[in-house]
Amino acid sequence: MGHCRGMTYDVVVIGGGPAGLSGAVALGRALRSVLVIDSGTPRNAPADGIHNYLTRDGTAPAEFAVTGRAEVERYGGEFRAGTVTAVEGGEPFRVTLDDGAVVTARRILVAGGTTDLLPEIPGLRELWGHRVLHCPYCHGYEVRGRPIGIIANGDRTMHAALLWNQWTDDLTVFANDVFVPDAEQAAQLAAGGITVVDGKVAAAAADGVTLSGGRRVSREYLVVQTRLEARADYLAPLGLKPVEHPMGIGTHLPMEDPTGRTAVPGVWVAGNVADPMAQVITSAAAGLAAGAMINMDLITASAVPGTR
Ligand SMILES: Cc1cc2nc3c(=O)[nH]c(=O)nc-3n(C[C@H](O)[C@H](O)[C@H](O)COP(=O)(O)OP(=O)(O)OC[C@H]3O[C@@H](n4cnc5c(N)ncnc54)[C@H](O)[C@@H]3O)c2cc1C
């Protein structure tokens, strides 16, 4: 279904990652007019390939985006490159982009994802997604058995150590002046053959780390626990603000029900912005669920006499 410029879209989807694209496909297939606005910086961009997505194993994130966009377009969905800076109103919502353009929509699907905040250690950012990893389900198999070092940077260090030890017998934890295992943890680490190296990590490189005293410890891969921040500041005019995630891993936009409904009528969320733990396949699934519910919400609204 074509869309006339200047008219109100049924749905504007903010974010063209797995969650947003999947929601847009569901809505397009429901004959809804859809605009996807995307700033083009998905979270997994630095990764070589997507893993744990059945039938898509190893697909490059950029290829996934191209294929996903083509599927959205097949069902009439439109795209616009840009960054949403504000969403205002109720129906119709006014969506402002960074170039000053404004588009309107009856419903909003927020799928802007999350930002990984890395510890402030020189060298980490450059290696992120290749030599610096966070998620064993994303990368663990590819680095199995290799020398891996976890840089402690919060209270999830023990969890990370036990988890990554499943993939390698050569695991070091850099205590980084924040990790002090208690007796039980020390016994668990010893039982797993995990080495703890004391001292602050001053710099990271592709071949290991340099401690603040100058000592170098070689490692092929480094692991950090990132802080995940919801990319959703543009919803402030609606009164929707990211809150701390209950697991202490960052911020997210809470859902009012499992389909991604938010506290603001007409606004749904899907993917990492709502659930920072979501993988690609679960983010896509959330987009589909939200898209289907938005379609039903529009049907219900139209079924009220005088509103169609
Ligand atoms: C290094 C790395 C490797 C990973 N590997 C895997 C893996 O192998 N398998 C797996 O299942 N998961 C993996 N993940 C997790 C995966 O990246 C997420 O599950 C997935 O990206 C979530 O999809 P999403 O659609 O919610 O968000 P994203 O993919 O981050 O997409 C959000 C989109 O919204 C856009 N956007 C944000 N704000 C705005 C705005 N204001 N206006 C317009 N557009 C906006 C962004 O540019 C982006 O394109 C990995 C993550 C990282 C960091």
Side-chain angles (χ1 to χ4, degrees), residues 257-295:
D257 72 17
T259 71
R261 194 185 297 272
T262 68
V264 174
V267 180
W268 268 259
V269 289
N272 272 172
V273 72
D275 176 7
M277 305 284 286
Q279 298 285 100
V280 174
I281 199 166
T282 42
S283 299
L288 165 60
M293 289 310 288
I294 291 171
N295 180 50

Side-chain angles (χ1 to χ4, degrees), residues 13-21 37-53 61 80 82-85 111-114 116 128-130 132-135 137-139 226 228 231-234 270-284:
V13 177
I14 303 170
L21 291 174
I37 304 171
D38 186 39
S39 57
T41 53
R43 188 180 163 211
N44 59 353
D48 290 335
I50 296 168
H51 299 287
N52 275 320
Y53 197 128
R80 188 158 182 158
T83 300
V84 171
T85 55
T114 196
D116 289 88
W128 173 237
H130 296 284
V132 174
L133 313 173
H134 71 303
C135 158
Y137 299 101
C138 306
H139 311 278
T226 60
L228 301 162
R231 303 173 74 180
D233 293 349
Y234 46 86
N272 272 172
V273 72
D275 176 7
M277 305 284 286
Q279 298 285 100
V280 174
I281 199 166
T282 42
S283 299

Side-chain angles (χ1 to χ4, degrees), residues 18-20 32 75 117 120 128 174 243-244 260 268 276 293:
R32 297 296 178 185
Y75 298 106
L117 295 186
E120 288 191 13
W128 173 237
F174 295 103
V243 298
E244 279 296 312
W268 268 259
M293 289 310 288

Side-chain angles (χ1 to χ4, degrees), residues 137-285:
Y137 299 101
C138 306
H139 311 278
Y141 187 85
E142 283 63 42
V143 303
R144 65 194 182 282
R146 307 310 304 165
I148 296 174
I150 296 174
I151 302 178
N153 65 321
D155 54 12
R156 288 181 285 148
T157 303
M158 194 63 203
H159 168 82
L162 296 177
L163 186 62
W164 279 89
N165 207 33
Q166 167 65 12
W167 280 268
T168 185
D169 293 332
D170 188 353
L171 187 61
T172 297
V173 175
F174 295 103
N176 198 24
D177 286 0
V178 294
F179 179 57
V180 184
D182 61 26
E184 188 186 347
Q185 291 172 328
Q188 284 178 313
L189 292 166
I194 303 166
T195 310
V196 178
V197 172
D198 288 328
K200 194 160 180 55
V201 175
D207 58 354
V209 304
T210 305
L211 299 173
S212 55
R215 181 183 163 200
R216 293 196 44 76
V217 183
S218 95
R219 295 280 89 190
E220 238 175 85
Y221 295 94
L222 297 170
V223 169
V224 293
Q225 307 295 297
T226 60
R227 181 175 158 79
L228 301 162
E229 300 232 313
R231 303 173 74 180
D233 293 349
Y234 46 86
L235 298 175
L238 296 178
L240 269 182
K241 288 202 180 122
V243 298
E244 279 296 312
H245 189 272
M247 289 173 72
I249 54 178
T251 60
H252 74 134
L253 282 173
M255 303 187 290
E256 298 290 302
D257 72 17
T259 71
R261 194 185 297 272
T262 68
V264 174
V267 180
W268 268 259
V269 289
N272 272 172
V273 72
D275 176 7
M277 305 284 286
Q279 298 285 100
V280 174
I281 199 166
T282 42
S283 299

